[in-house]
Amino acid sequence: MPEETWKTAAELGLVSCHSCDRLNRASASRCVRCNSRLHVRKHDSVQRTLALVVTAMVLYIPANALPIMYTSTLGNAKPSTILSGVISLWEHGSLFIAAIIFIASVFVPLAKMLMLIYICWAIATRQQSGKLDKSNLYIVTETIGRWSMIDVFVVAVLAILIQLSGLITVEPGPAVVAFAGVVVMTMFAAMALDPRLIWDETPIQTH
């Protein structure tokens, strides 16, 4: 069936529950299954999503510019950023690990922010083509975002495990906080966006 002939639940007088996904009548105020409050569309969804994405983009700069960890050998501390760590792993032959950290810590957060901005732009400008592709793109952004936290996990594990009688120590750097903020903000941004807006040809009254 062509996208042009598809109808949204709202156009059929129905609304899905955000908690359990059950379809309810649009006139209902609460879900008949889980009693959660119903919203035909999330209020100011695009505006809140963009605000969170902008916050994530601001945090993305110190997350990559500041040291994410300090490696201390015999009292000599050496700071490492995400990119310098990737380069170091690459130079030492750990190509697979370097690629994973680069994709999860550099590429994925940036790609997710750009994809959310694109979806918000498509909703705001009422783009009618490729709605299914945009909906699938949203599913991808919501699914992969949580895996960007891998760098924080790596630093945490190293800080606990690499403590060799005071000869080698690993301590987290200020970029850890900024990077965690990027991941959390992009996750909240994806949660704030109402993907049903992708399918609306005209604005629908929220309640």
Side-chain angles (χ1 to χ4, degrees):
M1 182 183 295
E3 289 185 9
E4 291 77 7
T5 63
W6 293 351
K7 289 185 177 294
T8 65
E11 292 173 334
L12 297 175
L14 301 171
V15 59
S16 62
C17 174
H18 293 300
S19 300
C20 68
D21 293 327
R22 190 189 192 285
L23 284 175
N24 297 263
R25 293 186 181 278
S27 57
S29 59
R30 292 191 174 274
C31 177
V32 296
R33 174 187 288 166
C34 65
N35 202 39
S36 297
R37 184 168 178 79
L38 297 173
H39 301 277
V40 177
R41 295 293 182 267
K42 293 181 181 179
H43 185 63
D44 293 333
S45 174
V46 172
Q47 293 87 336
R48 289 188 288 115
T49 298
L50 288 175
L52 291 167
V53 170
V54 169
T55 303
M57 294 181 74
V58 171
L59 291 171
Y60 187 76
I61 298 173
N64 286 276
L66 297 176
I68 195 165
M69 67 179 181
Y70 294 95
T71 305
S72 180
T73 305
L74 298 176
N76 296 320
K78 180 182 178 182
S80 297
T81 63
I82 294 176
L83 287 177
S84 68
V86 170
I87 294 172
S88 179
L89 287 169
W90 187 276
E91 291 176 344
H92 285 81
S94 301
L95 307 184
F96 181 70
I97 298 177
I100 290 178
I101 292 179
F102 177 80
I103 292 172
S105 302
V106 178
F107 176 76
V108 168
L110 182 60
K112 185 174 181 180
M113 289 184 284
L114 293 177
M115 286 189 289
L116 286 172
I117 291 174
Y118 168 70
I119 295 173
C120 288
W121 170 81
I123 293 173
T125 56
R126 301 292 167 191
Q127 298 293 314
Q128 298 303 312
S129 60
K131 293 180 178 180
L132 181 59
D133 292 335
K134 296 183 185 71
S135 184
N136 289 333
L137 188 63
Y138 169 78
I139 294 174
V140 171
T141 61
E142 189 179 37
T143 302
I144 66 175
R146 66 200 70 179
W147 296 104
S148 300
M149 195 67 83
I150 187 171
D151 246 14
V152 178
F153 291 150
V154 168
V155 174
V157 171
L158 288 176
I160 295 172
L161 297 181
I162 306 182
Q163 308 292 339
L164 303 179
S165 301
L167 297 179
I168 301 176
T169 59
V170 174
E171 296 181 356
V176 170
V177 177
F179 187 81
V182 172
V183 177
V184 171
M185 288 299 105
T186 53
M187 290 176 64
F188 283 166
M191 293 169 59
L193 183 62
D194 192 336
R196 297 174 298 180
L197 294 169
I198 296 171
W199 299 91
D200 295 338
E201 296 186 7
T202 57
I204 292 179
Q205 184 68 35
T206 59
H207 68 269

